[in-house]
Amino acid sequence: MAALGRQQHLFRLFKASFAHRNILRQCLHTTACMSTQPSSHGSGASFKDLDDKIVINEPTPRIHPELDLSFNNAQEAYKSKRTSQLLRALLVFNLCSINVLVENQKQLLKWSRKALGQRLFKLLMQQTFFGHFVAGEDQEDIKPLITANRQFGVKSILDYSAEEDITEQKAVEAELMGCAPEHPPVGSEADTTGADSGGAQFQVHEQFGDRRQKVVSARTYFYENELQCDRNMDIFLNCIDAVSYATEKSGLAAIKLTALGRPQLLLQMSEVLTTVKNFITLCQQVPEGTHVTGERRFEVEDFDRRLSEMGVMLKDKGSRKRISIMEITQNGQVDLLDWQNLLDINHSLSKLFLVPDLKTGKLRPIVEGLTEREEDEMKNMLRRINALAKYAEEKEVRIMIDAEQTYFQCAISRLTMEMMRKFNKKRSVVFNTYQCYLKQAYNNIVVDLNFAAREDFYFGAKLVRGAYMEQERERAESVGYEDPINATYEATTEMYHSLMEEVMRQINRRERGKIAVMVASHNEDTVREAVQLMKKYNIGPEDRLICFGQLLGMCDHVSFPLGQAGYSVYKYVPFGPVEEVLPYLSRRAMENRSMLKKTKKERRLLGEELGRRLKTGQLFYDPMAQLATTTTVG
């Protein structure tokens, strides 16, 4: 009976959020798939420049260029920078290392604005923090920097970083309003306080309402209303335009899904997806402690047997389909996490999901219908996501979906994979992000790689360590669910390297060009490991299947030597009006303080290059002239 109660408890968690799946499929189905023509440049490989010719044949041995992987060559690191840019970088890094300035930055900015006036304050920011960490105010303003960087082998991911600097109280109020369900979900009487159910993880908690707390650099959106979500969508559309114009279609646009709808919907969807995974594990009877590779599938007979043991009596195959909403494959397997089947179901989900009631002995629905408002909100969010992907496809621009907190991330990742399946059929349009500090990171990417192979679409991803570690740890401990973060920094590094090796291994298993991954890391050891793995798996820089990414204004001593050697490299490039980007700059200052050990090396290299130019009479060094000389000689 205890086991049966456990199974039924999991089933009850398949509540109103399952209806979101139906809405998702109906929304995707009713939006006509664009008849995508192959790019005029013929590029299916994700990180190829537009003028590159794609080659998808059996790979010949790749030649890797000579590269100083110690990243200690100051002249090579800063050959793209004017002397004034070096001086500004050194000033900014030194200021960011002074704790008293960083801790009181908001008050200092307020005083500076009042003392200098709006015009002089803006000029001061442009000559210091804004000028170093932000490319400019609009797509016209950012083009010179992006063009110059590209000439030195470094492309761009554009991120419109303007945001409202609201108070903590307003942020909490917005989060509580945006994450609270309109009505209590079915099964709300169940105990959801323990780590076993995972329910508490996917509920809003006032203590953690301000998602900006203990997070550095990551842009945070709070739900106001549907009109604001439409405005956010327009901002992202403009960002896609900026990528098309300023980068000449060589860059990517960064998108955050929490900006596009009520976060409550992502919470509910994440909870049901997590429950499905738990349910599959139970159906597969995986022993505790067994390493799960992430496979979603298992035999139909085993599935039927487990349902029967749980008290779900199946009379025919139709009943099985009604209860599981599963894909039944030709080889006799089922896949509970495949949403394709929902396209063919037009009935109310409350009539489809049935479980036995122990009191009555009859089947009863476990899904309560969504309210009309909730259905509209869900459709609106999916419409916005679809509109962005479709517009990116039309503009021949790629979009990269950022990762967010774990309680949103299951839904974000799943929606991203659905957009990949729809829009990545002929080339890469949509990219996912994987946070390597998560214990499940390896399983997650294996599942998605297998999914992409099975459905035969282009797979694109960005690998990051993650931006929410401190916040996630504290929330898990306080709320009472298992900490999703790896125990140590070393464990995260090991996870990161295992993900890199897995994607490179799978690059050679699929048609060449079907998988491309960005190694987004400031860690020199990780970059060195990526280069070594590329050599091991015969992936050359010219393939443009592995690229590297760092933030604008940071880690130039890694980015530019890589780019100048021929590797595919991107800078994450913020842009937006000075006043509206200040909250982003505040977090960047905090991040530089926490990364002081790393900026020490950058400050040393900056000093070395300034000294070299002073000694050789090159204080008025012109990067473009140097580039022209190099091109002529080469």
Side-chain angles (χ1 to χ4, degrees):
M1 289 296 292
L4 179 60
R6 175 185 174 88
Q7 315 300 335
Q8 288 186 313
H9 174 66
L10 285 171
F11 262 126
R12 283 198 296 270
L13 290 180
F14 283 69
K15 48 194 177 220
S17 36
F18 253 119
H20 298 162
R21 293 179 169 208
N22 196 29
I23 298 170
L24 170 67
R25 276 300 167 195
Q26 290 174 354
C27 180
L28 297 182
H29 188 56
T30 54
T31 305
C33 292
M34 179 179 177
S35 179
T36 311
Q37 297 299 319
S39 166
S40 58
H41 306 281
S43 181
S46 303
F47 298 113
K48 279 193 170 289
D49 292 329
L50 291 177
D51 54 357
D52 283 344
K53 180 180 179 182
I54 186 169
V55 179
I56 305 181
N57 294 313
E58 190 67 26
T60 56
R62 286 350 191 213
I63 298 175
H64 283 255
E66 290 187 12
L67 175 65
D68 178 10
L69 289 175
S70 70
F71 300 110
N72 276 317
N73 189 328
Q75 184 176 356
E76 187 70 13
Y78 302 114
K79 67 190 298 183
S80 66
K81 307 295 182 186
R82 300 187 304 275
T83 301
S84 60
Q85 292 175 303
L86 300 186
L87 289 168
R88 181 180 64 193
L90 195 56
L91 171 65
V92 168
F93 285 144
N94 283 326
L95 290 175
C96 287
S97 69
I98 303 174
N99 284 338
V100 67
L101 293 181
V102 175
E103 291 169 357
N104 296 283
Q105 57 179 294
K106 289 189 176 182
Q107 192 63 38
L108 290 172
L109 289 173
K110 181 179 179 181
W111 289 341
S112 299
R113 189 185 291 107
K114 185 178 294 185
L116 297 174
Q118 193 67 26
R119 184 170 174 274
L120 286 178
F121 175 76
K122 179 178 178 180
L123 182 62
L124 174 65
M125 289 296 101
Q126 288 174 327
Q127 296 303 314
T128 53
F129 296 98
F130 183 91
H132 183 70
F133 291 121
V134 183
E137 297 198 72
D138 53 41
Q139 60 178 283
E140 192 68 46
D141 196 23
I142 67 179
K143 189 168 185 179
L145 175 64
I146 288 172
T147 301
N149 283 352
R150 191 178 176 198
Q151 288 180 299
F152 285 88
V154 176
K155 293 165 281 187
S156 301
I157 304 170
L158 298 190
D159 180 21
Y160 188 78
S161 298
E163 60 182 272
E164 184 182 359
D165 192 15
I166 62 176
T167 65
E168 181 179 348
Q169 180 181 351
K170 286 186 177 180
V172 172
E173 291 173 356
E175 186 75 352
L176 293 176
M177 185 271 291
C179 291
E182 187 171 340
H183 57 78
V186 174
S188 60
E189 73 280 2
D191 176 18
T192 58
T193 61
D196 182 57
S197 70
Q201 181 180 0
F202 303 104
Q203 296 172 10
V204 62
H205 298 275
E206 184 173 354
Q207 178 185 353
F208 301 97
D210 187 353
R211 287 182 278 115
R212 300 169 302 179
Q213 298 299 314
K214 299 183 179 179
V215 174
V216 291
S217 81
R219 169 78 159 93
T220 303
Y221 290 87
F222 294 97
Y223 182 81
E224 296 179 27
N225 50 50
E226 293 298 292
L227 182 60
Q228 180 60 48
C229 292
D230 283 334
R231 287 196 288 264
N232 290 338
M233 181 186 69
D234 290 338
I235 288 172
F236 291 142
L237 290 171
N238 291 333
C239 189
I240 292 171
D241 282 332
V243 172
S244 179
Y245 170 72
T247 76
E248 299 178 2
K249 302 180 182 179
S250 67
L252 298 94
I255 307 293
K256 260 187 164 31
L257 293 198
T258 49
L260 299 175
R262 180 182 287 274
Q264 172 220 346
L265 306 173
L266 296 175
L267 282 175
Q268 288 182 304
M269 195 181 299
S270 291
E271 182 176 6
V272 77
L273 287 168
T274 299
T275 304
V276 168
K277 292 178 183 178
N278 292 337
F279 174 69
I280 290 176
T281 300
L282 290 170
C283 284
Q284 290 175 314
Q285 295 181 307
V286 176
E288 186 175 353
T290 300
H291 180 69
V292 180
T293 61
E295 280 292 339
R296 297 185 180 95
R297 296 185 173 195
F298 47 90
E299 298 300 320
V300 171
E301 291 77 9
D302 291 338
F303 178 73
D304 291 347
R305 177 178 55 80
R306 292 295 292 152
L307 285 181
S308 179
E309 291 173 359
M310 292 161 55
V312 181
M313 305 308 295
L314 303 176
K315 295 182 179 180
D316 53 37
K317 291 183 179 180
S319 296
R320 179 173 60 212
K321 184 176 180 180
R322 287 198 301 273
I323 293 173
S324 66
I325 310 299
M326 63 191 174
E327 176 189 343
I328 304 176
T329 65
Q330 291 182 349
N331 62 356
Q333 293 180 318
V334 296
D335 186 347
L336 283 180
L337 291 188
D338 192 339
W339 293 356
Q340 189 69 43
N341 232 11
L342 295 182
L343 288 172
D344 302 323
I345 297 172
N346 299 313
H347 303 289
S348 168
L349 284 181
S350 62
K351 298 178 181 179
L352 295 171
F353 290 91
L354 307 171
V355 293
D357 190 313
L358 291 179
K359 294 182 179 179
T360 65
K362 298 179 180 180
L363 294 178
R364 63 176 177 81
I366 61 172
V367 177
E368 186 176 3
L370 293 173
T371 67
E372 184 176 347
R373 182 175 71 88
E374 286 174 326
E375 286 192 9
D376 287 342
E377 289 170 349
M378 186 64 178
K379 290 176 182 178
N380 286 341
M381 182 171 68
L382 297 170
R383 171 183 56 79
R384 296 177 190 114
I385 296 170
N386 191 83
L388 287 170
K390 185 175 181 180
Y391 190 64
E393 183 183 50
E394 292 170 351
K395 302 289 286 188
E396 296 184 41
V397 165
R398 297 156 295 181
I399 59 175
M400 187 165 278
I401 310 300
D402 281 342
E404 306 192 45
Q405 286 88 350
T406 52
Y407 41 93
F408 296 133
Q409 189 55 37
C410 285
I412 290 171
S413 184
R414 185 60 193 183
L415 288 170
T416 303
M417 292 303 294
E418 287 297 307
M419 291 297 107
M420 266 197 216
R421 171 156 61 176
K422 179 175 180 180
F423 291 98
N424 286 15
K425 286 295 188 183
K426 296 187 177 181
R427 65 181 182 88
S428 292
V429 176
V430 181
F431 286 71
N432 203 359
T433 301
Y434 296 86
Q435 298 162 303
C436 295
Y437 66 12
L438 296 179
K439 296 174 182 176
Q440 293 297 315
Y442 181 81
N443 288 347
N444 292 341
I445 201 166
V446 168
V447 165
D448 292 344
L449 282 165
N450 291 341
F451 182 40
R454 190 169 77 241
E455 298 292 325
D456 192 27
F457 58 79
Y458 287 89
F459 177 85
K462 176 176 69 171
L463 307 183
V464 300
R465 271 183 166 74
Y468 308 97
M469 182 178 72
E470 188 177 356
Q471 181 191 99
E472 292 271 20
R473 283 197 191 285
E474 185 176 329
R475 189 178 190 271
E477 181 179 1
S478 176
V479 173
Y481 56 90
E482 182 184 354
D483 184 357
I485 309 298
N486 289 317
T488 64
Y489 182 85
E490 290 72 23
T492 292
T493 298
E494 183 179 350
M495 179 69 77
Y496 202 127
H497 294 178
S498 69
L499 263 69
M500 288 195 300
E501 180 149 22
E502 178 63 23
V503 296
M504 293 193 205
R505 184 179 68 84
Q506 294 217 26
I507 279 173
N508 291 325
R509 292 180 60 187
R510 293 192 66 190
E511 182 183 16
R512 198 78 166 186
K514 286 284 191 174
I515 297 174
V517 171
M518 174 179 289
V519 177
S521 175
H522 292 183
N523 185 286
E524 292 179 19
D525 290 335
T526 294
V527 172
R528 281 189 281 268
E529 178 70 12
V531 171
Q532 295 305 321
L533 287 171
M534 289 175 69
K535 294 177 181 178
K536 176 180 176 180
Y537 288 96
N538 194 31
I539 301 169
E542 73 278 7
D543 292 324
R544 296 299 193 259
L545 301 178
I546 300 295
C547 79
F548 299 87
Q550 289 88 32
L551 295 166
L552 182 71
M554 297 185 70
C555 217
D556 285 350
H557 68 292
V558 173
S559 306
F560 284 91
L562 282 170
Q564 287 152 192
Y567 289 88
S568 185
V569 181
Y570 287 79
K571 282 291 191 182
Y572 203 91
V573 178
F575 72 103
V578 173
E579 287 287 347
E580 296 177 35
V581 177
L582 286 180
Y584 169 86
L585 290 176
S586 294
R587 288 195 301 276
R588 179 61 68 246
M590 293 295 292
E591 184 174 74
N592 270 282
R593 183 179 64 168
S594 65
M595 297 175 67
L596 183 57
K597 291 182 180 179
K598 296 178 182 179
T599 60
K600 278 183 179 179
K601 180 172 181 178
E602 292 187 62
R603 284 184 286 165
R604 173 176 64 79
L605 292 173
L606 284 164
E608 286 181 11
E609 176 60 9
L610 284 168
R612 188 196 67 80
R613 292 185 187 183
L614 180 62
K615 290 178 182 178
T616 57
Q618 291 183 306
L619 285 180
F620 299 101
Y621 172 86
D622 183 356
M624 293 301 107
Q626 174 68 22
L627 184 66
T629 302
T630 303
T631 303
T632 302
V633 173

